[in-house]
Amino acid sequence: MLARSLQRLARPGARLMSGAPGSEKIAMVGSGNFGSALVRILGANAQRHAVFDDEVRMYVYEEMIDGKPLTEIINTTHENVKYLKGAKFTPNVRAVPDLAEAVKGATMVCFCLPHQFLKPLMPTIKASVAPGAKCLSAIKGIDFDDNGVVLISDLLREGLNADVSVLMGANVANDMAHDQFCETTIGYKDEKNGELFRLAFDAPALKVGTVKDTVGVELCGALKNIVAIGAGFSDGLGYGGNTKAALIRIGLKEMIKFCKMFYPNAGIDDNTFLESCGVADLITTCFGGRNRKCAEAYAKANKTKSLEQIEAELLAGQKLQGTLTAKEVNHILKMKGLEHEFPFFTTVYKISYENAPFSALTETPYQ
Ligand SMILES: NC(=O)c1ccc[n+]([C@@H]2O[C@H](COP(=O)([O-])OP(=O)(O)OC[C@H]3O[C@@H](n4cnc5c(N)ncnc54)[C@H](O)[C@@H]3O)[C@@H](O)[C@H]2O)c1
């Protein structure tokens, strides 16, 4: 029923009782590589679908590029020349350096920024968005507290008192920026909100699937980055496809085990692992993507360069997420005495941050 109503709404000019034209105001918190790729789609869809207000605001952590503010460059050239060069936004996308102004009155707030920057932004966001605003997180990462894992979507739910959907998938931003066909997965708790976000993101080159499983979708998005680091080490050591396939299989098993062990009652659906957010994202991230690339360079340099140095050299301001996630997951595993249950995640961590040699990648007894 709901899906049909929203399909009707998808036609320009269509109306829905609960969604008058222009009633949904979209904002994006984040303007990096993937954040910008998503905003490109949101901008086009805001023009396409009547329910969305025309303007899409994008919060930009301001920086100067060749003496000019990045926001000014984006608003005149319609291109994020630093993080998504060569791809144009529709003119209804407005880059805003002031966070409160960027999210003021927004009814649909999307989040896509490296998770380490999120927490300090939340009070301002809470004070500025429309009452009852719904949120969506495309952030791939996890946090932790004294009790163990904290999902980024839970941080948002708690900090903003809002319903939060998640979007994760096989989505290398630079490929999306050139409209190469791909899929993604939205995990929702509230079906109506999940469908609205699907409408906002679904596009000819981005097929959005929806599942009622936010936890499985989000954990897949975060944990696959650890596997990508292992895959990058494998590439850097000169191993071929057989080795990488073995590591992907082993990594996927640990991802599933982690999900089930830490969230036994969250309704994680086995089918989620077969969606774009699961096996597809795992494959793309172990072949393309920044985590694999940096891990390959780290292995090639045989640890003579630090991860920070490699991140700075190869990513031009983008952030390496997989090693940070490996560290955060290891912190939780250590705290719970569970390192031995996750030998692959532990090995990736120990090669990245401790003295473990690269040979541990293939010599550790995995299950
Ligand atoms: N790039 C991809 O292909 C891709 C694909 C899927 C998901 N993701 C996920 O999307 C999330 C965001 O990644 P991205 O690629 O959009 O970002 P990015 O790594 O390209 O860019 C970093 C962003 O952080 C901002 N920033 C730097 N310092 C900051 C600060 N102190 N406070 C606030 N912002 C600050 C920068 O301005 C920039 O917008 C991550 O969780 C990532 O795992 C990325």
Side-chain angles (χ1 to χ4, degrees):
M1 254 313 263
L2 180 65
R4 272 209 304 281
S5 312
L6 284 165
Q7 267 164 19
R8 276 203 306 279
L9 191 71
R11 292 198 303 272
R15 281 167 187 268
L16 182 79
M17 280 176 309
S18 61
S23 60
E24 296 292 349
K25 299 185 194 320
I26 303 175
M28 168 64 83
V29 178
S31 54
N33 188 232
F34 189 46
S36 299
L38 289 178
V39 167
R40 233 184 120 244
I41 293 162
L42 289 171
N45 279 348
Q47 292 185 328
R48 217 150 55 102
H49 302 309
V51 69
F52 301 122
D53 186 79
D54 220 34
E55 183 174 79
V56 172
R57 273 175 270 157
M58 172 170 72
Y59 165 63
V60 175
Y61 181 75
E62 190 69 286
E63 55 191 298
M64 300 300 282
I65 309 287
D66 297 332
K68 271 195 182 167
L70 180 57
T71 46
E72 192 186 313
I73 299 174
I74 294 172
N75 289 332
T76 46
T77 66
H78 309 299
E79 182 176 336
N80 187 340
V81 293
K82 170 140 188 197
Y83 292 100
L84 198 67
K85 205 168 172 45
K88 293 279 182 192
F89 298 117
T90 45
N92 56 323
V93 168
R94 186 158 68 90
V96 182
D98 180 78
L99 179 62
E101 189 196 335
V103 300
K104 188 163 182 232
T107 60
M108 296 173 72
V109 189
C110 304
F111 291 84
C112 187
L113 74 169
H115 66 287
Q116 59 269 36
F117 302 133
L118 179 66
K119 279 186 199 166
L121 307 183
M122 292 215 291
T124 304
I125 294 170
K126 187 172 186 192
S128 308
V129 298
K134 38 224 165 265
C135 299
L136 173 137
S137 169
I139 298 172
K140 291 179 176 171
I142 58 165
D143 198 19
F144 58 84
D145 63 15
D146 292 345
N147 298 318
V149 191
V150 176
L151 297 174
I152 303 297
S153 64
D154 281 337
L155 278 181
L156 290 168
R157 282 182 193 105
E158 215 170 279
L160 306 177
N161 195 20
D163 177 66
V164 181
S165 305
V166 296
L167 179 151
M168 311 277 150
N171 304 139
V172 171
N174 294 331
D175 296 347
M176 287 173 72
H178 296 98
D179 290 328
Q180 294 178 18
F181 173 76
C182 65
E183 298 179 313
T184 200
T185 311
I186 287 180
Y188 63 83
K189 282 190 189 294
D190 178 315
E191 185 183 3
K192 189 168 166 234
N193 292 343
E195 279 298 322
L196 252 183
F197 279 114
R198 188 195 60 73
L199 189 70
F201 285 104
D202 194 70
L206 178 64
K207 171 90 176 58
V208 179
T210 54
V211 294
K212 192 171 185 179
D213 172 10
T214 58
V215 178
V217 173
E218 184 169 359
L219 280 173
C220 279
L223 297 173
K224 59 95 196 183
N225 280 336
I226 306 178
V227 188
I229 298 294
F233 289 160
S234 177
D235 287 344
L237 296 170
Y239 298 135
N242 293 349
T243 308
K244 188 143 74 174
L247 296 174
I248 290 174
R249 184 199 71 81
I250 292 159
L252 179 59
K253 277 189 81 176
E254 290 198 11
M255 286 169 58
I256 296 171
K257 185 172 177 177
F258 189 96
C259 288
K260 304 230 158 157
M261 195 178 274
F262 285 89
Y263 287 90
N265 303 316
I268 295 177
D269 185 344
D270 281 344
N271 289 318
T272 296
F273 300 109
L274 302 178
E275 295 292 332
S276 178
C277 62
V279 72
D281 195 7
L282 188 58
I283 292 169
T284 196
T285 204
C286 288
F287 284 87
R290 65 180 88 162
N291 293 292
R292 189 217 62 82
K293 182 164 133 184
C294 289
E296 179 185 38
Y298 186 62
K300 277 192 171 149
N302 199 18
K303 299 197 186 187
T304 55
K305 288 182 180 177
S306 69
L307 286 163
E308 292 73 25
Q309 209 177 340
I310 287 172
E311 181 186 57
E313 280 175 16
L314 295 186
L315 296 189
Q318 293 176 32
K319 296 288 166 205
L320 181 59
Q321 295 288 287
T323 44
L324 182 59
T325 305
K327 193 191 235 177
E328 288 161 342
V329 163
N330 186 263
H331 178 88
I332 293 157
L333 295 179
K334 261 201 195 107
M335 192 197 314
K336 306 268 178 195
L338 288 171
E339 276 183 299
H340 64 286
E341 295 271 4
F342 295 88
F344 178 70
F345 288 174
T346 302
T347 300
V348 169
Y349 164 76
K350 287 190 169 165
I351 294 173
S352 304
Y353 291 103
E354 295 182 356
N355 293 330
F358 285 104
S359 58
L361 189 68
T362 50
E363 288 169 3
T364 299
Y366 300 123
Q367 288 136 15

